[in-house]
Amino acid sequence: MNRITILEVGNRITIDEEYMCIRDTMTNWYITVFDKEFDVNTVSEIIENIYTNIANTPGFEASKLGELFRTKDNSNREFLIIKDFGSLSVIEDAFYQNEIRNNFIKVLKIIAPTYEIDKILIDFENFFSIKNGACIISLFREIGTDVEEFRNKGFVYNLDLLPYYCEVLKNFLQTEKRRFKDYLFTRAKSDDKLQKDFVSTVYRFEQFSITKYINSVMFSVEDKVVETFGEWRTSEDVFSADDEYVKNYEKMNPQKLYEDEISNDVNAQQMIYFGKEKAFNEWLDLHKRLEEKNNMPENPYSRYIGVIPKVNEVSYHQGASTTGGANTGNRNNKSTGTYTQSHDEKRNRNKKILGNKGELLVYNLLCKRVGKENVFPRSEAFIELGIIKPGQAVSGGYDISYYGENGIEYFVEVKTGDGKSFIISPGELQYAKDNAEKYKLIIVYDVDAEKPKCMELPMRFWEDSKFRKREIVERIEFEF
């Protein structure tokens, strides 16, 4: 067990003491152990005591459950189950799934005796899957019941719609973020107060979370969002905020001055969004006075403009993976000489340039595949590449998104290295898992060759045994 969620009247609560959850249905029990040290034997004894107190079946022996819990060897556990039940079928998934289905239909018949069983679209083999949420809500609304009533009528398994509603919220915000931004921008063009909070309001919308969900089929995620931000889905003509930003940026800052500073200054971005030329010129003058010098480095990306990398099939390598593939260096070789900050900065800059080249190549590839109008660069790399303007990049779990021919928006993470290994942060991997059906990871390698190469990893690559994960400590740094 690696995650426990406690619900109290539909609200998620935190238990400060150490505990182990026994069940998570309406007959919930959780054990609080106040001693900081407890082992499997202590917990098994507590389980025996609980079942001894609540069991009312003649011949029930709670000690057998404790014995089964303490037995570590799988064959011995199977022996105990066969001894008492005559077969291992009682622990098979199909047996459990049938129990859920039978219990569900039994309660359904109590509430809606004439309902046709064949109309049930619920996947009982994966009953607790998030995908079942929509089917359960549709069915309950059709027969005029809700989660609490269904439980009270005798359904003993967990009916938690909150994970489904969380998924609905994530997808809803992803789908509506551009329309909300354009609607808010159009209103703000004639409202100085909205202009001052425009960027922060857009960010709040994209990161919005609902503080209190209700475990009910009558709960509406969309209503909660509209309650917070107002209605934006109208038939009114709206301006494209991003198009206006690009147009104003090119007009107000043709020399592309202080792009890093603009990326980190919300006020400067809002001046550009709403064409505040006088205020922006004052902002530029301020930075010019503070600037001591401005060296324009040679553009390292010029030869990659328009280059389409060669797409190869994923090749798998036997044995332990190396650690030097994804811009990590060879950790087995000790460096010689004195460490200098300038050397470290130069190395980091070279790694960043290499990564940016990889992202540019993948951007070129996607534009060729689905059309430039369907590709949306997101990472900071595309500011340096000149594809998006400062203030338009958004940090997160992917580098580029695009719309496929099926109308689905896919999220692409780009890794540049040797084509044998790559490093991914815990946050990036979690984002991939949270968006598994729409997440793609593309490896770019041989970047400096005449024809750079890339390969797209299979969906859900982390579940494939061919990909060997190794958690490492990147480095330990001392400052003095």
Side-chain angles (χ1 to χ4, degrees):
M1 180 174 297
N2 56 21
R3 183 176 66 86
I4 299 173
T5 301
I6 304 297
L7 300 176
E8 187 176 273
V9 197
N11 297 323
R12 295 177 186 270
I13 62 172
T14 301
I15 303 295
D16 294 330
E17 297 89 353
E18 296 183 37
Y19 64 87
M20 274 198 175
C21 192
I22 302 302
R23 295 187 66 186
D24 57 354
T25 67
M26 64 182 183
T27 54
N28 229 7
W29 292 86
Y30 69 87
I31 302 171
T32 301
V33 181
F34 293 98
D35 189 353
K36 290 192 177 296
E37 296 182 1
F38 62 92
D39 56 21
V40 66
N41 292 327
T42 303
V43 176
S44 66
E45 290 175 3
I46 296 172
I47 292 173
E48 287 183 21
N49 292 335
I50 288 177
Y51 273 89
T52 299
N53 289 329
I54 67 172
N56 56 9
T57 304
F60 182 88
E61 297 181 32
S63 60
K64 291 183 179 179
L65 187 63
E67 183 182 0
L68 181 64
F69 189 83
R70 288 189 294 271
T71 303
K72 296 181 178 180
D73 184 75
N74 187 57
S75 61
N76 291 336
R77 291 168 68 91
E78 290 181 352
F79 171 77
L80 292 173
I81 294 169
I82 294 173
K83 180 181 176 183
D84 273 295
F85 296 99
S87 169
L88 291 176
S89 63
V90 295
I91 61 170
E92 292 178 354
D93 288 342
F95 180 88
Y96 185 57
Q97 292 155 8
N98 287 335
E99 287 295 306
I100 296 176
R101 184 178 186 277
N102 293 339
N103 187 201
F104 190 94
I105 292 175
K106 180 180 178 181
V107 177
L108 178 64
K109 286 298 185 182
I110 294 173
I111 298 174
T114 61
Y115 192 85
E116 298 177 18
I117 303 303
D118 292 341
K119 292 173 60 179
I120 299 176
L121 301 178
I122 295 169
D123 178 9
F124 288 99
E125 291 185 4
N126 302 283
F127 182 76
F128 301 107
S129 166
I130 291 176
K131 295 178 180 178
N132 268 336
C135 297
I136 293 172
I137 291 171
S138 176
L139 173 58
F140 280 19
R141 287 180 176 175
E142 183 178 352
I143 65 175
T145 190
D146 211 333
V147 173
E148 185 175 359
E149 181 186 14
F150 208 76
R151 284 173 172 169
N152 292 338
K153 293 294 186 181
F155 189 68
V156 299
Y157 298 94
N158 189 32
L159 267 177
D160 183 9
L161 298 176
L162 273 59
Y164 169 75
Y165 285 137
C166 289
E167 184 73 10
V168 169
L169 176 64
K170 181 183 72 174
N171 293 334
F172 181 66
L173 295 177
Q174 183 68 35
T175 300
E176 292 293 328
K177 64 182 181 181
R178 289 191 182 95
R179 183 153 58 155
F180 174 80
K181 183 178 182 179
D182 291 345
Y183 172 79
L184 183 64
F185 176 79
T186 301
R187 289 184 57 206
K189 283 176 72 70
S190 58
D191 189 325
D192 290 340
K193 186 176 184 303
L194 288 179
Q195 291 180 17
K196 292 178 182 178
D197 299 324
F198 173 71
V199 173
S200 61
T201 303
V202 170
Y203 179 80
R204 280 198 307 114
F205 181 88
E206 293 176 351
Q207 304 297 319
F208 179 69
S209 61
I210 295 174
T211 56
K212 183 178 180 181
Y213 287 88
I214 300 175
N215 193 25
S216 164
V217 300
M218 302 312 296
F219 182 78
S220 171
V221 167
E222 294 186 15
D223 287 351
K224 281 292 182 181
V225 180
V226 172
E227 182 182 306
T228 303
F229 295 96
E231 183 57 74
W232 65 92
R233 297 164 296 178
T234 69
S235 58
E236 301 175 15
D237 292 334
V238 296
F239 292 93
S240 168
D242 289 340
D243 288 350
E244 290 288 308
Y245 187 93
V246 171
K247 182 180 70 175
N248 291 340
Y249 188 95
E250 292 174 348
K251 176 183 177 182
M252 296 164 62
N253 192 21
Q255 295 179 302
K256 301 181 179 180
L257 301 176
Y258 311 112
E259 295 195 316
D260 287 342
E261 288 81 358
I262 294 172
S263 293
N264 295 288
D265 192 324
V266 170
N267 290 327
Q269 294 167 25
Q270 288 176 163
M271 294 173 197
I272 297 170
Y273 269 114
F274 299 102
K276 303 291 185 181
E277 293 189 51
K278 181 180 178 181
F280 186 71
N281 286 334
E282 292 174 354
W283 184 91
L284 287 176
D285 290 340
L286 174 63
H287 283 76
K288 287 176 182 177
R289 289 195 298 269
L290 297 174
E291 182 184 37
E292 296 179 359
K293 60 181 177 178
N294 182 24
N295 295 322
M296 299 298 290
E298 181 182 353
N299 184 358
Y301 310 113
S302 56
R303 75 167 282 253
Y304 297 92
I305 297 174
V307 173
I308 309 297
K310 179 183 178 182
V311 181
N312 289 341
E313 295 293 327
V314 177
S315 57
Y316 301 100
H317 304 84
Q318 300 297 323
S321 62
T322 63
T323 58
N327 302 335
T328 62
N330 189 341
R331 293 183 179 81
N332 295 322
N333 295 333
K334 294 183 179 180
S335 60
T336 58
T338 304
Y339 168 83
T340 64
Q341 185 175 359
S342 61
H343 173 76
D344 194 47
E345 289 175 350
K346 182 177 180 181
R347 183 184 62 183
N348 290 336
R349 173 62 181 164
N350 289 338
K351 287 168 63 177
K352 181 180 179 183
I353 290 174
L354 182 65
N356 291 354
K357 290 176 181 177
E359 292 190 37
L360 175 58
L361 290 167
V362 172
Y363 174 77
N364 294 339
L365 175 66
L366 294 176
C367 288
K368 181 180 178 182
R369 282 183 178 176
V370 300
K372 185 177 179 180
E373 69 278 4
N374 293 313
V375 181
F376 302 94
R378 173 189 176 100
S379 72
E380 294 283 348
F382 291 101
I383 295 177
E384 188 166 342
L385 293 167
I387 294 174
I388 62 175
K389 304 302 181 185
Q392 289 188 298
V394 183
S395 59
Y398 62 96
D399 298 315
I400 311 169
S401 71
Y402 73 91
Y403 282 99
E405 293 180 357
N406 54 9
I408 295 175
E409 184 176 21
Y410 293 94
F411 311 116
V412 179
E413 175 69 19
V414 180
K415 297 293 181 184
T416 307
D418 63 357
K420 298 178 182 178
S421 64
F422 62 92
I423 288 176
I424 188 169
S425 71
E428 289 171 338
L429 182 57
Q430 187 58 52
Y431 186 89
K433 292 178 179 179
D434 291 342
N435 298 274
E437 303 303 324
K438 299 186 288 186
Y439 180 91
K440 297 188 176 186
L441 194 146
I442 298 179
I443 304 290
V444 183
Y445 60 103
D446 288 352
V447 172
D448 292 323
E450 182 177 349
K451 186 68 173 178
K453 302 178 182 67
C454 72
M455 54 188 174
E456 183 177 317
L457 300 192
M459 305 285 274
R460 297 179 178 271
F461 64 85
W462 55 89
E463 297 176 355
D464 191 331
S465 60
K466 295 187 184 72
F467 292 86
R468 300 175 293 278
K469 183 177 75 169
R470 199 158 71 96
E471 298 186 23
I472 60 176
V473 176
E474 179 64 17
R475 68 177 182 181
I476 299 174
E477 181 175 291
F478 292 89
E479 293 183 350
F480 59 97

